[in-house]
Amino acid sequence: MYSVIETAKENGLLPFQYLKYLFEQLPQLPDPQNPEAFEPYLPWSSSLPITCRVME
């Protein structure tokens, strides 16, 4: 968990918002066995919602 939070911070994300987003979205994945299905949810993905990002 520490690694996920620190990686989120390094990628300009708000850890709480990012984790909340993951916990809401990941259970809905149609094919969780497919590693490529997780690409949009990685901390460096440009498709993450703005609510997960630190506003500068």
Side-chain angles (χ1 to χ4, degrees):
M1 188 57 75
Y2 179 79
S3 177
V4 172
I5 290 171
E6 291 303 313
T7 304
K9 288 180 189 177
E10 288 296 316
N11 283 278
L13 301 177
L14 299 165
F16 177 80
Q17 295 293 23
Y18 177 58
L19 290 173
K20 180 179 174 221
Y21 177 72
L22 292 181
F23 291 140
E24 291 171 348
Q25 298 301 313
L26 293 181
Q28 301 175 37
L29 283 179
D31 185 12
Q33 299 299 322
N34 179 4
E36 293 176 3
F38 291 93
E39 293 285 327
Y41 303 100
L42 296 175
W44 47 84
S45 174
S46 61
S47 64
L48 291 172
I50 194 78
T51 56
C52 292
R53 302 190 184 282
V54 172
M55 302 306 286
E56 296 179 21

